[in-house]
Amino acid sequence: MQWTLVIPLKPLARAKSRLSDTAGDGLRPGLALAFAQDTVAAALACPAVGDVAVVTDDALAGRELAALGAHIVPDEPGGGLNAALAHAAAVVRSKRPESALAAMNADLPALRPLELTRVLDAAAEFPRAFLADAAAIGTTVLAARADTELRPVFGPDSRARHRASGALELSLGEVDSVRQDVDTGEDLRAALALGVGPRTAAAAARLLIPGQ
């Protein structure tokens, strides 16, 4: 099964505010872009992924991610994360109704293509399925087969919210790179320990991170 990934990205100037203890205002936008670039590059290298659609209104991010091979979908609703994902899913399905869809975070800088393949192959066994993040509170991937609506409910406690929505939680080991999103300095250190992509490595080298 070939998947279309839908990846949301807020304007870089507002991204990753929880990293303020690690990266100042002048560095956070570049760090957020680096996360997204490494995430998209790894996703496009995944054998199970046929296409990546990034939903964003950030002009710089749109240009940089399109250069990697992603399709850019404008965030027309402007109604927040779940509205953006639902809009992008509708755009994809209007062109390819048979497409299996997976919403995935843009902040997975350690993402490994073969680990993502394991997650998507497991998700293909169910109408809707999701993978919890490393903190076991949020969600990094929500997948829906071609005959099923995505119905995203990301946000606080999204693991519980997706489970309550009827999506099956995937119990997989050895997919740490797909679980490790980055919201805080501690998350960034964990991602660096896993091994991040080249753009994140270069951006993180500008930071003073204990233990890096």
Side-chain angles (χ1 to χ4, degrees), residues 6-9 55-57 73-91 103 150-155 161:
V6 179
I7 298 178
L9 181 62
V55 54
T56 186
D57 277 340
V73 178
D75 182 9
E76 292 179 359
L81 175 57
N82 292 309
L85 286 170
H87 168 65
V91 169
L150 189 60
R151 291 166 49 212
V153 284
F154 286 86
R161 295 169 70 187

Side-chain angles (χ1 to χ4, degrees), residues 41-92:
L44 287 167
C46 174
V49 173
D51 192 19
V52 172
V54 176
V55 54
T56 186
D57 277 340
D58 191 285
L60 173 60
R63 288 195 302 272
E64 294 294 330
L65 298 175
L68 294 175
H71 290 92
I72 307 303
V73 178
D75 182 9
E76 292 179 359
L81 175 57
N82 292 309
L85 286 170
H87 168 65
V91 169
V92 171

Side-chain angles (χ1 to χ4, degrees), residues 70-150:
H71 290 92
I72 307 303
V73 178
D75 182 9
E76 292 179 359
L81 175 57
N82 292 309
L85 286 170
H87 168 65
V91 169
V92 171
R93 287 265 173 89
S94 70
K95 299 175 181 177
R96 297 188 301 278
E98 75 290 352
S99 182
L101 291 173
M104 189 175 78
N105 293 4
D107 59 351
L108 300 172
L111 184 64
R112 303 285 189 270
L114 293 182
E115 291 187 14
L116 179 57
T117 296
R118 288 192 63 221
V119 171
L120 295 175
D121 285 351
E125 300 297 318
F126 308 97
R128 283 174 74 241
F130 72 96
L131 185 74
D133 65 7
I137 297 171
T139 302
T140 57
V141 177
L142 171 68
R145 292 193 312 210
D147 55 355
T148 307
E149 293 299 316
L150 189 60

